[in-house]
Amino acid sequence: MQLSVIIVNYNVKYFLEQCLYAVQKACLGIDAEIIVADNNSTDGSREYLEQNFPTVNFIWNNENAGFAKANNQALAKAKGDFILFLNPDTILSEDSIEKCLKFFEVNKMAGAIGIHMIDGSGNFLKESKRAFPSPLTSLFKLSGLARLFPRSATFARYHLGHLPEKENHEVDVLAGAFMMIPKKVLDEIGNFDERFFMYGEDVDLSYRIQKAGYKNYYFAESTIIHFKGESTKRGSLNYVRLFYKAMSLFVKKHYSGSKAGVFIFLIQIAIIIRAFFSALGKLLKKIGLPVLDACIILGSFGLTRILWSNYIRQEINYSPNVLFFAFPVFTALFLITAFYSGLYDKGYKQMQLIRSTAIAALVLLSVYALLPESIRFSRGILVTGITLAFILMNTMRLLFIKWHYLETSNENEQRRQTIVVAAEKDFFTIAEMLQNAGMTERILGRVSNDSAGSIPVLGNIKQLPGLVKKYQVKEIIFCENGLSFKEIISSIHALPGTSRNKFHASGSNSIVGSDSKNTSGDFIANATNYKIGMPLQRRNKRLLDITLSIFFILAIPILIFIKKNAAAFYKNVFAVLAGKKTWVGYATEANGLPAIKAPVITSTALPQALNDLPVESIQKSDEWYAAGYTAMTDLKKIGKGFKYLHY
């Protein structure tokens, strides 16, 4: 056998699906096998993939064994003369494998080949070619100097920024996302070092290949897409910790003496700096908008009070209660309401801002009406301050949307902003997926080099950049049946950077994409859209659990006498309040459904011990519960199953 393709999967089933379709096309005419080692994915990968890819050899681990160990498991079963280690969040050109194999025929001393990689937006991924880490090289990279001087042979040596992107080069380090190696070389130097759980294993293997007298090559004559953000949450503190651990292990293994000590010291300093800014950036991303809103609200009230006392009602001596009670209370009410209405979720909707402001204003004015006359102040300050705050918060969001700091989910803005590049048959398939996801109105039309069919085309692929600019297209969905994978990858370079790209292999059940290497991937699947998995609904479910638990605690004087088995009931109350249980949940293991806590009662309004329906009926009940979930769903089921809350 000529080739074995090895892929390690962990919770990226839709990306792996697209990857496998591309790999199968790239292997046509080649005696090859595909081996997937799954590291105990919890996203239903086995049920989803195994039946759709009967020719793929799957290894299903019962634990997350790590990238290196999983690759070695697959390598032990590989029969090919060449091994391609490939990430699941990649899409290959049809000629990628064939060209790499031919390169080995010409370059007999080649020990490994990496490839030209781009992200989902067409940007070159610099990690396609790298140098071995040295103290200064790593420090320049981690401190940000490499980014300031991207073409410098000194400061940008980590990514070999001085070497042309479009030319083949002998390099030091290849990315584990695409690494083709002759099996005889691996037999000589050994497999991946399993001490590297994640990160650094490709650096270590590249080092050992060179040490054995072979050469590592960066191959620029074919291109693949590597979404990268999906398999690596690069902004997380966990990434920083694992990266430092991997670099330290590499240094201790291959360097010695004072050089290793200096290296580890410098890397540790750079990692601490990186971790600080990573944590700061993550914090600002989470609380930045709420903090701005709080500042705007407090500033609006402060400005209104000054205007009111100096120009409108000068004769009134305003109580400090204005500052120390009303203003902070409204701010807190607004932020709480906004959080639970989804205002700070991805995708801004103006109605959420209106709803949050209205609810907070209604509560504040109601409380104000109950205050004693002696501590009241002008109602006009409250109304004017609330109005001014709303205007300023809305204006800020409109500016952020215009400057692309904030995304909008407004239906009118999202309509007719997607172009589908596909043959007619797959255009209908994609349209159905979008319809199931509630996105039908976003389709502007179809682009194809073949104008035949009942659906008119907007233009051919060469006209796509012009169409994007003309119609201000926000998203392009490329279907492999409308173009080859190679043509799709080539087309991305010519597109303006304003559009997002997604990809669909003909015959697959999903659409995947990612804006950049630093952002988490996005997907649309030909499956039910479960509302219970939405952040807004999950927050509302948790809020309802807490509210009901507190209510039951306050009602102890009554419930302790009327509730059967009160001790068991209040044991559940405190378990729910602590987040160990939820009042309503699934009746079965619910494979493929969004995970929730263990339930007191189930979707049938009965405890699990009393469910005697057929398994199929119980599973269907769970699916309906997950698909149509709202907080009211839980209230209704708790009302029906109240007598069972002690189970």
Side-chain angles (χ1 to χ4, degrees), residues 440-460:
T440 309
E441 293 297 324
R442 292 168 60 174
I443 298 178
L444 173 65
R446 178 170 73 98
V447 168
S448 176
N449 289 333
D450 181 8
S451 59
S454 59
I455 301 295
V457 297
L458 299 174
N460 59 42

Side-chain angles (χ1 to χ4, degrees), residues 122 127 143 164 188 210 229 236 266 281 324 337 350 393-394 433 455 460 487 495 499 517 524 582 592 598 645:
E127 51 267 36
S143 64
E188 180 181 342
Q210 274 199 5
S236 68
L266 292 175
F324 299 115
T337 306
Q350 190 177 49
M393 286 189 293
N394 190 56
M433 286 188 194
I455 301 295
N460 59 42
E487 288 173 319
L495 294 174
S499 64
K517 67 176 184 178
I524 300 166
T582 183
L645 296 182

Side-chain angles (χ1 to χ4, degrees), residues 226-449:
H226 181 204
F227 295 106
K228 197 170 181 65
E230 186 58 23
S231 61
T232 311
K233 304 298 182 282
R234 298 178 64 81
S236 68
L237 291 176
N238 190 48
Y239 161 74
V240 174
R241 180 181 63 83
L242 289 173
F243 183 82
Y244 167 67
K245 184 178 179 181
M247 288 297 99
S248 296
L249 177 59
F250 177 83
V251 170
K252 291 174 183 177
K253 180 178 178 179
H254 295 294
Y255 297 157
S256 60
S258 60
K259 186 176 182 180
V262 172
F263 196 167
I264 292 175
F265 175 73
L266 292 175
I267 291 295
Q268 193 163 14
I269 291 175
I271 288 292
I272 291 171
I273 296 171
R274 176 82 171 265
F276 171 76
F277 284 108
S278 176
L280 183 62
K282 193 172 183 180
L283 180 65
L284 290 176
K285 189 174 182 180
K286 282 190 173 182
I287 70 170
L289 205 53
V291 167
L292 285 175
D293 284 341
C295 292
I296 287 174
I297 294 169
L298 293 173
S300 298
F301 276 129
L303 179 61
T304 302
R305 179 182 178 275
I306 293 172
L307 293 174
W308 217 262
S309 60
N310 290 331
Y311 301 102
I312 299 177
R313 299 290 297 275
Q314 301 177 23
E315 72 280 4
I316 297 178
N317 182 23
Y318 293 98
S319 167
N321 292 312
V322 174
L323 292 176
F324 299 115
F325 175 74
F327 297 173
V329 165
F330 176 82
T331 304
L333 285 171
F334 174 86
L335 294 176
I336 293 170
T337 306
F339 177 75
Y340 282 104
S341 70
L343 181 62
Y344 300 121
D345 290 343
K346 183 179 179 180
Y348 166 62
K349 291 183 180 179
Q350 190 177 49
M351 184 53 65
Q352 292 170 337
L353 178 61
I354 295 173
R355 187 188 303 120
S356 302
T357 307
I359 292 173
L362 181 63
V363 172
L364 182 62
L365 291 173
S366 299
V367 171
Y368 173 84
L370 299 175
L371 293 174
E373 188 70 30
S374 60
I375 62 172
R376 287 188 188 180
F377 47 88
S378 173
R379 188 182 288 108
I381 290 180
L382 291 181
V383 174
T384 305
I386 291 169
T387 303
L388 178 60
F390 171 77
I391 292 171
L392 292 176
M393 286 189 293
N394 190 56
T395 303
M396 177 187 72
R397 282 166 169 77
L398 292 176
L399 290 173
F400 280 2
I401 290 169
K402 183 178 180 181
W403 296 332
H404 304 291
Y405 293 153
L406 187 66
E407 292 184 0
T408 176
S409 291
N410 188 284
E411 292 181 2
N412 292 325
E413 291 186 11
Q414 289 295 328
R415 288 181 182 176
R416 301 176 66 80
Q417 291 183 332
T418 296
I419 282 180
V420 178
V421 181
E424 186 172 74
K425 178 184 175 182
D426 286 282
F427 174 82
F428 287 122
T429 300
I430 290 171
E432 184 179 355
M433 286 188 194
L434 294 177
Q435 183 177 20
N436 291 339
M439 303 176 183
T440 309
E441 293 297 324
R442 292 168 60 174
I443 298 178
L444 173 65
R446 178 170 73 98
V447 168
S448 176
N449 289 333

Side-chain angles (χ1 to χ4, degrees), residues 46 84 121 129 192 221 297 519 595:
R46 184 167 191 170
L84 172 58
S121 296
K129 49 183 175 66
F192 282 110
E221 296 174 30
I297 294 169
T519 59

